[in-house]
PDB file of all heavy atoms in Angstrom:
ATOM      1  N   LEU X 106      -2.816  -5.137  42.828  1.00 94.00           N
ATOM      2  CA  LEU X 106      -2.095  -5.903  43.876  1.00 94.00           C
ATOM      3  C   LEU X 106      -2.803  -7.202  44.039  1.00 94.00           C
ATOM      4  O   LEU X 106      -3.975  -7.273  44.442  1.00 94.00           O
ATOM      5  CB  LEU X 106      -2.109  -5.079  45.199  1.00 94.00           C
ATOM      6  CG  LEU X 106      -1.393  -3.737  45.140  1.00 94.00           C
ATOM      7  CD1 LEU X 106      -1.368  -3.101  46.535  1.00 94.00           C
ATOM      8  CD2 LEU X 106       0.029  -3.879  44.591  1.00 94.00           C
ATOM      9  N   ARG X 107      -2.055  -8.293  43.839  1.00 93.00           N
ATOM     10  CA  ARG X 107      -2.689  -9.582  43.971  1.00 93.00           C
ATOM     11  C   ARG X 107      -2.938 -10.023  45.403  1.00 93.00           C
ATOM     12  O   ARG X 107      -3.844 -10.728  45.718  1.00 93.00           O
ATOM     13  CB  ARG X 107      -1.798 -10.621  43.249  1.00 93.00           C
ATOM     14  CG  ARG X 107      -1.874 -10.535  41.734  1.00 93.00           C
ATOM     15  CD  ARG X 107      -1.056 -11.582  41.017  1.00 93.00           C
ATOM     16  NE  ARG X 107       0.392 -11.303  41.081  1.00 93.00           N
ATOM     17  CZ  ARG X 107       1.072 -10.606  40.220  1.00 93.00           C
ATOM     18  NH1 ARG X 107       0.465 -10.066  39.185  1.00 93.00           N
ATOM     19  NH2 ARG X 107       2.363 -10.410  40.370  1.00 93.00           N
ATOM     20  N   SER X 108      -2.123  -9.533  46.293  1.00 91.00           N
ATOM     21  CA  SER X 108      -2.317  -9.899  47.685  1.00 91.00           C
ATOM     22  C   SER X 108      -3.393  -9.042  48.344  1.00 91.00           C
ATOM     23  O   SER X 108      -3.317  -7.854  48.415  1.00 91.00           O
ATOM     24  CB  SER X 108      -0.996  -9.647  48.463  1.00 91.00           C
ATOM     25  OG  SER X 108      -1.226  -9.385  49.826  1.00 91.00           O
ATOM     26  N   PRO X 109      -4.460  -9.710  48.898  1.00 89.00           N
ATOM     27  CA  PRO X 109      -5.514  -8.943  49.533  1.00 89.00           C
ATOM     28  C   PRO X 109      -4.997  -8.149  50.708  1.00 89.00           C
ATOM     29  O   PRO X 109      -5.452  -7.022  50.974  1.00 89.00           O
ATOM     30  CB  PRO X 109      -6.499 -10.041  50.036  1.00 89.00           C
ATOM     31  CG  PRO X 109      -6.146 -11.266  49.241  1.00 89.00           C
ATOM     32  CD  PRO X 109      -4.728 -11.174  48.877  1.00 89.00           C
ATOM     33  N   GLU X 110      -4.024  -8.705  51.411  1.00 89.00           N
ATOM     34  CA  GLU X 110      -3.447  -7.989  52.534  1.00 89.00           C
ATOM     35  C   GLU X 110      -2.761  -6.679  52.125  1.00 89.00           C
ATOM     36  O   GLU X 110      -2.937  -5.624  52.713  1.00 89.00           O
ATOM     37  CB  GLU X 110      -2.454  -8.886  53.293  1.00 89.00           C
ATOM     38  CG  GLU X 110      -3.043 -10.081  53.970  1.00 89.00           C
ATOM     39  CD  GLU X 110      -3.433 -11.183  52.998  1.00 89.00           C
ATOM     40  OE1 GLU X 110      -2.839 -11.252  51.878  1.00 89.00           O
ATOM     41  OE2 GLU X 110      -4.392 -11.928  53.294  1.00 89.00           O
ATOM     42  N   GLU X 111      -1.938  -6.814  51.064  1.00 91.00           N
ATOM     43  CA  GLU X 111      -1.277  -5.630  50.611  1.00 91.00           C
ATOM     44  C   GLU X 111      -2.277  -4.584  50.088  1.00 91.00           C
ATOM     45  O   GLU X 111      -2.149  -3.387  50.384  1.00 91.00           O
ATOM     46  CB  GLU X 111      -0.288  -5.958  49.481  1.00 91.00           C
ATOM     47  CG  GLU X 111       0.958  -6.680  49.937  1.00 91.00           C
ATOM     48  CD  GLU X 111       1.935  -5.694  50.559  1.00 91.00           C
ATOM     49  OE1 GLU X 111       2.618  -4.965  49.849  1.00 91.00           O
ATOM     50  OE2 GLU X 111       2.042  -5.706  51.820  1.00 91.00           O
ATOM     51  N   HIS X 112      -3.284  -5.082  49.383  1.00 91.00           N
ATOM     52  CA  HIS X 112      -4.261  -4.148  48.872  1.00 91.00           C
ATOM     53  C   HIS X 112      -4.966  -3.420  50.031  1.00 91.00           C
ATOM     54  O   HIS X 112      -5.141  -2.182  49.997  1.00 91.00           O
ATOM     55  CB  HIS X 112      -5.305  -4.839  48.017  1.00 91.00           C
ATOM     56  CG  HIS X 112      -6.292  -3.905  47.390  1.00 91.00           C
ATOM     57  ND1 HIS X 112      -6.017  -3.235  46.221  1.00 91.00           N
ATOM     58  CD2 HIS X 112      -7.525  -3.465  47.736  1.00 91.00           C
ATOM     59  CE1 HIS X 112      -6.993  -2.410  45.874  1.00 91.00           C
ATOM     60  NE2 HIS X 112      -7.948  -2.532  46.825  1.00 91.00           N
ATOM     61  N   ALA X 113      -5.344  -4.156  51.069  1.00 90.00           N
ATOM     62  CA  ALA X 113      -6.034  -3.582  52.184  1.00 90.00           C
ATOM     63  C   ALA X 113      -5.108  -2.583  52.923  1.00 90.00           C
ATOM     64  O   ALA X 113      -5.491  -1.489  53.342  1.00 90.00           O
ATOM     65  CB  ALA X 113      -6.506  -4.640  53.146  1.00 90.00           C
ATOM     66  N   ALA X 114      -3.794  -2.946  53.035  1.00 90.00           N
ATOM     67  CA  ALA X 114      -2.857  -2.118  53.727  1.00 90.00           C
ATOM     68  C   ALA X 114      -2.639  -0.754  53.045  1.00 90.00           C
ATOM     69  O   ALA X 114      -2.486   0.276  53.682  1.00 90.00           O
ATOM     70  CB  ALA X 114      -1.518  -2.844  53.876  1.00 90.00           C
ATOM     71  N   TRP X 115      -2.641  -0.788  51.746  1.00 92.00           N
ATOM     72  CA  TRP X 115      -2.293   0.435  50.978  1.00 92.00           C
ATOM     73  C   TRP X 115      -3.514   1.214  50.489  1.00 92.00           C
ATOM     74  O   TRP X 115      -3.429   2.428  50.286  1.00 92.00           O
ATOM     75  CB  TRP X 115      -1.389   0.136  49.830  1.00 92.00           C
ATOM     76  CG  TRP X 115       0.014  -0.245  50.237  1.00 92.00           C
ATOM     77  CD1 TRP X 115       0.454  -1.527  50.581  1.00 92.00           C
ATOM     78  CD2 TRP X 115       1.095   0.605  50.407  1.00 92.00           C
ATOM     79  NE1 TRP X 115       1.774  -1.500  50.967  1.00 92.00           N
ATOM     80  CE2 TRP X 115       2.197  -0.211  50.841  1.00 92.00           C
ATOM     81  CE3 TRP X 115       1.321   1.954  50.242  1.00 92.00           C
ATOM     82  CZ2 TRP X 115       3.502   0.332  51.124  1.00 92.00           C
ATOM     83  CZ3 TRP X 115       2.612   2.505  50.524  1.00 92.00           C
ATOM     84  CH2 TRP X 115       3.675   1.730  50.921  1.00 92.00           C
ATOM     85  N   TYR X 116      -4.582   0.464  50.262  1.00 90.00           N
ATOM     86  CA  TYR X 116      -5.779   1.162  49.678  1.00 90.00           C
ATOM     87  C   TYR X 116      -6.979   1.060  50.567  1.00 90.00           C
ATOM     88  O   TYR X 116      -8.055   1.540  50.214  1.00 90.00           O
ATOM     89  CB  TYR X 116      -6.063   0.596  48.275  1.00 90.00           C
ATOM     90  CG  TYR X 116      -5.073   0.937  47.253  1.00 90.00           C
ATOM     91  CD1 TYR X 116      -4.007   0.091  46.944  1.00 90.00           C
ATOM     92  CD2 TYR X 116      -5.108   2.155  46.570  1.00 90.00           C
ATOM     93  CE1 TYR X 116      -3.050   0.410  46.033  1.00 90.00           C
ATOM     94  CE2 TYR X 116      -4.170   2.505  45.640  1.00 90.00           C
ATOM     95  CZ  TYR X 116      -3.119   1.634  45.365  1.00 90.00           C
ATOM     96  OH  TYR X 116      -2.176   1.963  44.441  1.00 90.00           O
ATOM     97  N   GLY X 117      -6.870   0.378  51.697  1.00 86.00           N
ATOM     98  CA  GLY X 117      -8.009   0.286  52.606  1.00 86.00           C
ATOM     99  C   GLY X 117      -9.024  -0.706  52.117  1.00 86.00           C
ATOM    100  O   GLY X 117      -8.777  -1.502  51.206  1.00 86.00           O
ATOM    101  N   GLY X 118     -10.187  -0.708  52.722  1.00 74.00           N
ATOM    102  CA  GLY X 118     -11.249  -1.625  52.282  1.00 74.00           C
ATOM    103  C   GLY X 118     -11.414  -2.830  53.149  1.00 74.00           C
ATOM    104  O   GLY X 118     -12.428  -3.527  53.111  1.00 74.00           O
ATOM    105  N   GLY X 119     -10.438  -3.081  54.009  1.00 65.00           N
ATOM    106  CA  GLY X 119     -10.597  -4.118  55.005  1.00 65.00           C
ATOM    107  C   GLY X 119     -10.686  -5.532  54.411  1.00 65.00           C
ATOM    108  O   GLY X 119     -10.267  -5.791  53.254  1.00 65.00           O
ATOM    109  N   ASN X 120     -11.238  -6.401  55.171  1.00 64.00           N
ATOM    110  CA  ASN X 120     -11.272  -7.824  54.773  1.00 64.00           C
ATOM    111  C   ASN X 120     -12.459  -8.171  53.868  1.00 64.00           C
ATOM    112  O   ASN X 120     -12.515  -9.232  53.313  1.00 64.00           O
ATOM    113  CB  ASN X 120     -11.301  -8.697  56.011  1.00 64.00           C
ATOM    114  CG  ASN X 120     -10.087  -8.513  56.907  1.00 64.00           C
ATOM    115  OD1 ASN X 120      -8.991  -8.352  56.332  1.00 64.00           O
ATOM    116  ND2 ASN X 120     -10.285  -8.510  58.157  1.00 64.00           N
ATOM    117  N   HIS X 121     -13.385  -7.274  53.805  1.00 70.00           N
ATOM    118  CA  HIS X 121     -14.573  -7.612  53.098  1.00 70.00           C
ATOM    119  C   HIS X 121     -14.687  -6.937  51.731  1.00 70.00           C
ATOM    120  O   HIS X 121     -15.673  -6.433  51.336  1.00 70.00           O
ATOM    121  CB  HIS X 121     -15.772  -7.253  53.953  1.00 70.00           C
ATOM    122  CG  HIS X 121     -15.747  -7.864  55.283  1.00 70.00           C
ATOM    123  ND1 HIS X 121     -15.885  -9.212  55.474  1.00 70.00           N
ATOM    124  CD2 HIS X 121     -15.498  -7.359  56.536  1.00 70.00           C
ATOM    125  CE1 HIS X 121     -15.711  -9.492  56.774  1.00 70.00           C
ATOM    126  NE2 HIS X 121     -15.506  -8.413  57.419  1.00 70.00           N
ATOM    127  N   ASP X 122     -13.508  -6.954  51.067  1.00 78.00           N
ATOM    128  CA  ASP X 122     -13.489  -6.290  49.753  1.00 78.00           C
ATOM    129  C   ASP X 122     -14.288  -7.154  48.762  1.00 78.00           C
ATOM    130  O   ASP X 122     -13.935  -8.265  48.456  1.00 78.00           O
ATOM    131  CB  ASP X 122     -12.020  -6.220  49.303  1.00 78.00           C
ATOM    132  CG  ASP X 122     -11.888  -5.618  47.915  1.00 78.00           C
ATOM    133  OD1 ASP X 122     -12.870  -5.352  47.259  1.00 78.00           O
ATOM    134  OD2 ASP X 122     -10.662  -5.465  47.497  1.00 78.00           O
ATOM    135  N   PRO X 123     -15.391  -6.610  48.260  1.00 79.00           N
ATOM    136  CA  PRO X 123     -16.266  -7.392  47.401  1.00 79.00           C
ATOM    137  C   PRO X 123     -15.623  -7.755  46.087  1.00 79.00           C
ATOM    138  O   PRO X 123     -16.057  -8.689  45.411  1.00 79.00           O
ATOM    139  CB  PRO X 123     -17.508  -6.510  47.160  1.00 79.00           C
ATOM    140  CG  PRO X 123     -17.063  -5.110  47.550  1.00 79.00           C
ATOM    141  CD  PRO X 123     -15.906  -5.257  48.506  1.00 79.00           C
ATOM    142  N   GLN X 124     -14.537  -7.045  45.676  1.00 82.00           N
ATOM    143  CA  GLN X 124     -13.886  -7.389  44.456  1.00 82.00           C
ATOM    144  C   GLN X 124     -12.670  -8.339  44.635  1.00 82.00           C
ATOM    145  O   GLN X 124     -11.915  -8.585  43.699  1.00 82.00           O
ATOM    146  CB  GLN X 124     -13.353  -6.137  43.727  1.00 82.00           C
ATOM    147  CG  GLN X 124     -14.468  -5.424  42.928  1.00 82.00           C
ATOM    148  CD  GLN X 124     -15.240  -4.466  43.831  1.00 82.00           C
ATOM    149  OE1 GLN X 124     -14.697  -3.689  44.538  1.00 82.00           O
ATOM    150  NE2 GLN X 124     -16.600  -4.581  43.811  1.00 82.00           N
TER     151      GLN X 124
END
Side-chain angles (χ1 to χ4, degrees):
Chain X
L106 300 183
R107 285 183 288 270
S108 153
E110 293 74 26
E111 286 283 283
H112 185 83
W115 289 86
Y116 290 94
N120 298 322
H121 305 291
D122 178 356
Q124 280 85 50

